[in-house]
Amino acid sequence: MAPLLNGFPNGASGHLPNDPTLVTLRFSDIPPQIDIPVRGLEAEEAVEVNLEELLDDPTELCTLLEQEGVGKQYWMIIALAYAKQAKVDHAIEILSKGLGILNRGDPKEKLGPLSLTCWLYLWKSREAPRVLPEGQPANETGLKDFYLQAATGCLNEASRINPAFPPLFLAKGVLYLLRASLQPPSKAAAPGVPDISDRVETLRQSIKCFEDALRVSAGRNLMATLGRARAHFSLGKYAEALEGYQEVLLKTPHLQDPDPRIGIGCCLWQLGHKDEAREAWERALDLNPDSKIANILLGLYYIHDSSHYATTDPSFGPIYKKAMTVYTQKAFKLDKELPLTCATFGSYFMMRKSWATVDNLARKAIEHTDVNAVASDGWYLLARKEHYQDRPDLVKANDFYQKADLARGGGDKGYLPARFGLVQIQILQRDYDGAKFRLEKIIQQSKSTEAMMILGALHAEDVFRSQISGIKEDKSAEVKKATTLLEAVRLAWKDPQKKMTPDTSVLVYLARLYETDHPDKALQCLQQVEQMTINDMPNKEPPEGADADEAWSAKLREQLSPQLLCDIGCFHFNAEKLDQAREFFQTALNACVKAGEKDEGTDTDALVTTISYNLARTYEAAGLLEEAKQVYEGLLARHEDYTDARTRLAYIELRQNPTEDGPKAMAALYETDSMNLEVRSLFGWYLSKAKRRAPNIAEDQEQRHYKHTLQHHDKHDRYSLTGMGNLYLTTAREMRRDTDQDKEKRRKTYEKAVEFYDKALQLDPRNAYAAQGIAIALVEDRKDLTAAVQLFSKIRDTVKDPSVYVNLGHVFAELKQYSRSIESYEAALTHNRASDPQILACLGRVWLLKGKQDKSPSAMKTALSYSHRALALAPQQIHFQFNIAFVQIQLAQLIHILPESQRSLEDVMKASEGLEEAIESFGEIAQSKNPPYPRHDIEQRANMGRNTMRRQLERAVQSQTEYEEKNAAKLQEARELRDAEIRRREAEKRKVEEQKEAERQKIREERDKMAQLSRELAEKRTEEERRRQEAEYTTDEEGERVKRTKKKGGKRKKKGEDSDTGTEAGDGTEDKAVKKTRRKKKAQSTEPSSAVGSSNEEGGATKSKRKKKRLARRAGKEDKFKSQEMVVDSESEDDRQAAAQLTNGQASNDEDGDTEMRDAEDSQTVTRQKPKKRVIEDDEDEDEDKDEDEDEDEPSNKTTAEVDAEEHDDRNGASIADNPHGDPVDERVGAAGDAGAKELTMSGAPTILS
């Protein structure tokens, strides 16, 4: 049943009068005094007992009642009087003594006192504690369960006397309700399985009892209706409960104790209509301002409303203050023992850390409540109190959290905050697995973002501990779980409905998780932390201007955490954004200074040292070596044993002076810090660059250095293992392969290199340099290009080094995938290797191979360009000169074999010039000291170019010249033919356009003529209309123009007669007025001007004839005389003359119109618009039909134009006759060509009837 809004059912009408006579008050039927009859005295004498001032000890009063042998009603009234004064124990004592006396009489007399005693025990149960207060001895006397058992005994005794006694049903229902409140809620059952727990069965029994009470009372027991609604509410059937409360409110809208509006509001709240619930409670508060339940429920509503805002939101404070000060505080003043108020106030004092008050209020809520949820809140307050102590008692806190959870059912139906507290206790006890398990259960049931946050943090901590410990364990699953959970929390921040406050710790965890695999995402997380921290700073107006904004941002960053700024700078450094990295490192140093100024006890030396080293590394990467040296030297001045700074200084010195001071600095560094593995790694790199090749690897100095490191310092040193692999790989590449024995030895050397690489990868699976060495060995030893491509592709995503792209280019070139090879080489050039001649030479080689494969001269020209660039960067390298000459020879050969259609004379000439340069270059290279190939081979190639290829190109030049000359003549001829065809088409196009323009001009002229003719005809019609109106109107005696009226009583003249036709006086007819003659159509035109005109004339004649006959019949139905029209009666001679002139003028105009239309009928058509309306006075008599029939039989001697004019007149007459009321009909001739007008061929000018 849907809640009724703004009416009685939800208690929010607001228009009910407060009539005290209709309000039901408890104990209102107890009189102020009672007269107890005295035995043995006269009937009028009795002992008066004041029920408003009762004795503290009822023993004397009970003795009086026993001695006088009064009836049960006296015992019950006095007991109720004590109960009215809240002396329930005395009331129960009085009833117990009365029951003892009533045992001697009829047992049915005990039903009333037993029922009342049961209700008093139920009252005591409501006020009794739920559990024993802390510190009291174990005694069940005085608890809720004790009084419920006593009430059960009373009901059982009464049921034995009369089980159908009506008051017992209501008492049983309430007893079952209170008993269900002490039973724990049932745990969540499986879907489809009915709930058969003790609490549910007890509530069902209570509903049955209430329904029995309603049955015996014929539905009038409102308390039973309220009890049934309360039981439905406890079962979670909120809609049924709402119907019950609304039913009571409809029957008794002024009921306040108990108030059904309270129950209505609770049902609406559970159904999700929280605002309607507030309205119901406000209505209850309007009727009873001292309602403690309404006050505390409204307080809870506003507390819930404030939870939608962050504590920093300006809207939070006023709402929360209203909840606590306006409603909760008032409810507490009204009843300091109310459990719901105590639990609500306890949370407020929890925030203020008033632990003693919290403990007192929480225990009151637990001890006195009948609602399990309120008891759960009390246990939760106690748990939080223990949890928040400086030295928390985790055992007590865990116990209280479990009781709070069980009070609401436990398991899946338990109290989520309590379960969350249990997770926190488990974390404090380092039971991480148990905490994870419980959190996963919470997330499955509620999707709690707090639970996801903590579970994600636990998984992330597992990953970080594994990284620190160095244990080789696959934590990819934990990384994925942590990332998924924390990203879900991050996504929830963007939901405006949840109104969540972002937590920077989530972003920090995500940044650490993304650091290795997704550094860009890690940087985004840290930047978001930076922005959030800046936004939380006190609002200050930034200055105007772009430069001022940057300075302002830098100033704000100085107030941030130095660690955060340093981390952001490191990510920028790894992304090769050196300027931004340097800026953040400098800002971090300034932040350290400010942090030291704010708190002098803070030790920032370690931070300053680390950030300064990072700044120096940034200077070094940017090529600012002098600035880097200054920072390193400053660090050494503060910390002389800072080995990393000394190492970088030695490296810089080696780069600046590779022959003198550099080697000395390296030797000094190695001498002082030879035990440091970083120093040994740098020294091994120095030996690989500065050593001379040893014929035997065992005698190699670099090999001895790495071997010493692995044997005496760290056998798992990854740099030494990789260096050994590189050393063996280089040696194997240079070994001879002439005999099988040489090949076998070379293969074993490759295998030795792979062994070292494999060991390094076992120690560090992300060692991309070792993986690259294995890929190179696969290519060079086993020619396994496919596996090598896969390895290099994975390494490319990890190591941003040009060598990876160079190796990929080599492999793709071997696979003849020249386009991808070119892409890899060009990518290597973009990584700070744009001036590397080796990469340029590789590009030239690949373009040459691509040109030979595609037979593309342009590709070979590109190869020649790259070869020239390589030689320009290293002019002393003789093999780069050889590359240029070789490409020129290959280009000349390609140009020679290409057909004439795919080359030009210019290409052949340039190839010839390049051939001459190549012959000269080969001669110089052959005479050099160390040619790249044997001199004999180079000389033979030069001779081939000098003899064979030179003659071939000469013949190619001659043939190409002849081909292009012939081709030029053909092209010229084709070009002339094409130009002639174009000119012909243009001439035809112009001719067509001129014809179209002439037609358009002719059409325009015709339209202009037709428009002019239409205007002239319209002017004539206007003039005729004016004359006709002048003829219809006259001037009366007062000088005003009025319409002419017909004469009364006169006779009308027939056609062809000079005298009037008389009628008999007995017929009562009037003399007819003179009727105007009308010309009729005699025959069809013998020579029509056009087919269209003839058709129109035939149609018009037929329609006119039928129209006239219909009008005649229609007129005859209205009167026995055919003519009902008015005849103009001219009152003066002038009027008659004007009418005659108008008639003559009309005939003249008709003739002029006929002449004009005959001139235009050959090719013009006009569009007739809606005709003007005219009023025609035309009378007809009974003899007219006969005259018309005679006229139709007569032959026509008229011309075609006259017949057309008559037809037009007939049509106008039909149109006018069609209007029986004589309304004016408008007839106009529209201009020719108007859109939407109907076109017709005019054979004669239309006439106007007058």
Side-chain angles (χ1 to χ4, degrees), residues 1000-1015:
R1000 286 194 290 268
Q1001 181 64 25
K1002 184 177 179 181
I1003 292 172
R1004 284 195 294 269
E1005 292 175 356
E1006 291 175 353
R1007 287 180 178 175
D1008 292 341
K1009 290 178 182 180
M1010 295 168 68
Q1012 180 64 25
L1013 178 60
S1014 299
R1015 286 193 294 270

Side-chain angles (χ1 to χ4, degrees), residues 468-479:
I468 295 173
S469 63
I471 300 175
K472 297 178 183 179
E473 187 176 357
D474 185 13
K475 291 291 183 179
S476 58
E478 284 75 6
V479 171

Side-chain angles (χ1 to χ4, degrees), residues 474-577:
D474 185 13
K475 291 291 183 179
S476 58
E478 284 75 6
V479 171
K480 185 177 181 180
K481 288 181 181 178
T483 305
T484 303
L485 291 168
L486 296 176
E487 283 291 354
V489 175
R490 188 182 180 186
L491 184 62
W493 298 343
K494 300 178 182 179
D495 190 352
Q497 296 180 352
K498 295 183 178 180
K499 297 181 180 179
M500 294 182 61
T501 303
D503 192 344
T504 56
S505 62
V506 175
L507 297 171
V508 173
Y509 273 118
L510 282 172
R512 291 188 64 183
L513 291 170
Y514 285 138
E515 180 180 0
T516 304
D517 296 329
H518 304 282
D520 52 339
K521 293 183 179 180
L523 178 60
Q524 291 176 3
C525 294
L526 294 179
Q527 287 174 339
Q528 188 175 353
V529 173
E530 175 195 5
Q531 189 60 44
M532 288 169 54
T533 309
I534 291 176
N535 294 337
D536 292 339
M537 292 180 181
N539 294 328
K540 296 180 181 179
E541 293 295 332
E544 298 180 355
D547 296 338
D549 289 343
E550 294 179 1
W552 180 255
S553 300
K555 185 176 180 181
L556 291 178
R557 285 197 186 101
E558 292 178 358
Q559 303 179 25
L560 300 177
S561 168
Q563 293 91 333
L564 174 63
L565 297 172
C566 182
D567 290 342
I568 295 176
C570 290
F571 280 109
H572 282 305
F573 178 86
N574 292 332
E576 298 182 0
K577 299 178 181 178

Side-chain angles (χ1 to χ4, degrees), residues 25-95:
L25 299 177
R26 297 188 183 188
F27 305 107
S28 59
D29 55 342
I30 303 300
Q33 61 272 341
I34 186 174
D35 294 335
I36 300 175
V38 179
R39 183 186 300 176
L41 298 178
E42 296 180 0
E44 293 79 5
E45 294 186 4
V47 177
E48 181 179 314
V49 177
N50 189 352
L51 298 181
E52 294 180 351
E53 297 179 359
L54 294 171
L55 300 174
D56 294 336
D57 187 2
T59 304
E60 183 178 351
L61 192 57
C62 290
T63 303
L64 174 64
L65 295 175
E66 182 180 358
Q67 290 177 354
E68 302 301 331
V70 298
K72 63 178 180 180
Q73 65 271 17
Y74 292 97
W75 293 93
M76 295 175 64
I77 290 174
I78 294 175
L80 287 171
Y82 272 99
K84 182 179 180 179
Q85 298 181 8
K87 299 177 181 179
V88 183
D89 292 333
H90 293 337
I92 294 174
E93 181 183 354
I94 292 171
L95 289 174

